[in-house]
Amino acid sequence: MTAEAPTAPAVPDGSYGRLIPVTVHFDDLDSLGMLHNARYPLLVERAWNELWHGYGFTFEGDWAAAEDFCNVVRELVIGYEAPIERPGAYAVHLWLERLGTTGLTYGFRFCSADGETTYARGTRVLVRLDAGTLRPTSWSDRFRACAQELLRSAD
């Protein structure tokens, strides 16, 4: 199987990562009519799943078969910059900051559908686990090859 990048809108500056469309629904809003703070990480997670599924990585309910999808969150940092005040089409800009042997750090921006307006940004650290021992283990070569395309340059 050849890894191909999923089709996604261009990132505004075109330099790194992917822009994945997401939809905010009416029931995602809080009592003040703004996107609830807990919904941001959920929508970011859905965007990442869509991106990885485009590369052929899936989870079908079997952790041993999940391979690189058998991972846990070590850290999540998010900062809110502007409220989202209505349902509709938005996007999540995704990229990798660091790809280590057993862990990675990804960056994200929750933004307008065209990527121009940023509502929130953050990072998340994941650790790949061995399904049998639940101890850290290395990412597969196939995963690493796909992940290389998402790495943000050190410039």
Side-chain angles (χ1 to χ4, degrees), residues 40-53:
Y40 287 84
L42 175 70
L43 292 166
V44 169
E45 177 73 12
R46 288 178 181 165
W48 269 113
N49 279 327
E50 182 176 328
L51 179 72
W52 288 121
H53 288 170

Side-chain angles (χ1 to χ4, degrees), residues 107-125:
F108 64 88
R109 285 185 319 116
F110 201 104
C111 51
S112 55
D114 63 5
E116 294 296 327
T117 303
T118 300
Y119 299 101
R121 68 177 72 237
T123 59
R124 186 168 160 184
V125 177

Side-chain angles (χ1 to χ4, degrees), residues 5-6 20 45-46 51 60 64 78 111 121 128-129 135 137 144:
I20 305 297
E45 177 73 12
R46 288 178 181 165
L51 179 72
E60 307 280 333
I78 186 168
C111 51
R121 68 177 72 237
R128 164 107 155 66
L129 298 180
R135 300 290 307 151
T137 192
R144 295 182 71 73

Side-chain angles (χ1 to χ4, degrees), residues 11-73:
V11 175
D13 65 8
S15 63
Y16 61 92
R18 301 281 190 280
L19 199 60
I20 305 297
V22 296
T23 301
V24 171
H25 297 276
F26 175 77
D27 60 353
D28 292 322
L29 305 180
D30 64 15
S31 60
L32 297 176
M34 294 184 277
L35 182 60
H36 191 281
N37 67 292
R39 302 303 275 179
Y40 287 84
L42 175 70
L43 292 166
V44 169
E45 177 73 12
R46 288 178 181 165
W48 269 113
N49 279 327
E50 182 176 328
L51 179 72
W52 288 121
H53 288 170
Y55 283 110
F57 294 96
T58 60
F59 175 67
E60 307 280 333
D62 178 359
W63 286 113
E67 299 177 341
D68 294 290
F69 257 33
C70 184
N71 58 65
V72 293
V73 176

